[in-house]
Amino acid sequence: MRIDVVSIFPSYFDGLTLSLLGKAQSTGILDLRIHDLRDWTHDRHRTVDDTPYGGGAGMVMKPEPWGLALDQLAAGADGGPRPTIIFPSPAGEVFHQSTARELADREHLIFGCGRYEGIDERVFEEAAELGEVRLISLGDYVLNGGEVAVMAMVEAIGRLIPGVVGNPESLVEESHEDGLLEYPSYTKPSVWRDREVPPILLSGNHGAIAAWRREQQVERTRRRRPDLLAGED
Ligand code: SAM
């Protein structure tokens, strides 16, 4: 998969060279390219923002650098399928595990990180000429910029690309994969500071362990995230 990220703070993404996603890049499974939006400006100050029409507080990201950036990056995939262009936004659809699964199947994603009061609305219309446009929110709160949201999305999507996580089994029994939260996990020692691992996990009875874990999933979800069970009969 190819992922292009456009930001005015490209160094935010240094962390994506670490761990599993770093390895996926060195083995060629993931082609992650980070770009500075200011490289598509043409004035001395490399300006990316201006005052909002209609007045109001804050600045708005200018359309011109975004237009040039998206034209170039979408054209880079010439011959391939149209890219999916994602703008993180608190006013977008909420990102879920199902969104990550859907996007992990795409060949080319482009992320555009907003700052200030956001990006001139016409950029989204123009981007729709180049690919599928999605405005996606990390949750119902406001961040200073799209970078943290994009890092979270790239990590959630990237770990679902085949070959990124060594043991694909470990992707199946995760929170949100089956609509429930994951069961509690324990490792050695079996007693730590007088706290014991639940004895069932030491029993070797795989059927009983699976049943216990399922119960724990349901109980934990009911307690912490009853909204996830709301669709239940
Ligand atoms: N004025 C915008 C609004 O009220 O919808 C918020 C702008 S916010 C300060 C600047 C940028 O941060 C946004 O353009 C977006 O890229 C990013 N951002 C903020 N909150 C976000 C969230 N919950 N999810 C995804 N991106 C977010």
Side-chain angles (χ1 to χ4, degrees):
M1 176 192 280
R2 173 173 158 187
I3 299 181
D4 289 282
V5 180
V6 183
S7 162
I8 59 168
F9 294 117
S11 53
Y12 253 96
F13 298 94
D14 290 353
L16 292 178
T17 58
L18 305 172
S19 187
L20 293 177
L21 291 192
K23 196 163 159 225
Q25 290 168 76
S26 53
T27 56
I29 296 175
L30 176 64
D31 177 6
L32 177 64
R33 305 178 192 188
I34 311 296
H35 310 272
D36 187 342
L37 178 67
R38 294 187 198 277
D39 290 346
W40 285 280
T41 58
H42 293 111
D43 64 310
R44 200 156 54 93
H45 300 291
R46 309 182 84 206
T47 310
V48 292
D49 60 316
D50 209 332
T51 52
Y53 276 122
M59 302 292 271
V60 175
M61 293 190 108
K62 291 165 66 61
E64 300 94 326
W66 278 111
L68 294 173
L70 295 174
D71 285 348
Q72 185 177 330
L73 298 176
D78 220 8
R82 280 155 60 91
T84 300
I85 305 171
I86 300 161
F87 295 98
S89 165
E93 58 174 301
V94 176
F95 187 76
H96 291 292
Q97 185 67 11
S98 55
T99 325
R101 279 225 166 272
E102 184 195 345
L103 295 174
D105 277 341
R106 306 290 158 91
E107 282 184 32
H108 185 199
L109 303 178
I110 301 175
F111 287 93
C113 301
R115 279 268 152 183
Y116 317 113
E117 289 308 316
I119 302 173
D120 185 305
E121 192 72 18
R122 292 167 292 179
V123 171
F124 310 131
E125 296 162 18
E126 190 70 10
E129 306 283 330
L130 302 168
E132 181 201 6
V133 173
R134 302 275 287 266
L135 269 68
I136 303 186
S137 170
L138 208 58
D140 292 341
Y141 43 81
V142 179
L143 303 164
N144 286 334
E147 287 76 10
V148 167
V150 169
M151 284 187 74
M153 289 190 253
V154 168
E155 184 147 316
I157 294 164
R159 67 197 299 278
L160 298 177
I161 301 169
V164 171
V165 171
N167 180 359
E169 294 260 310
S170 65
L171 294 176
V172 179
E173 294 196 355
E174 304 268 35
S175 295
H176 304 294
E177 277 300 334
D178 58 359
L180 297 172
L181 303 182
E182 199 187 33
Y183 51 76
S185 301
Y186 300 87
T187 186
K188 297 179 189 70
S190 61
V191 181
W192 174 71
R193 296 188 177 181
D194 294 334
R195 295 173 191 277
E196 291 183 13
V197 168
I200 186 80
L201 297 177
L202 310 178
S203 70
N205 182 337
H206 298 300
I209 291 171
W212 179 85
R213 284 178 166 167
R214 187 75 188 172
E215 272 168 33
Q216 292 291 314
Q217 282 192 278
V218 173
E219 158 55 19
R220 185 178 259 201
T221 308
R222 203 178 296 286
R223 201 164 12 97
R224 295 183 188 167
R225 291 290 306 276
D227 56 302
L228 296 178
L229 298 173
E232 261 194 349
D233 290 336

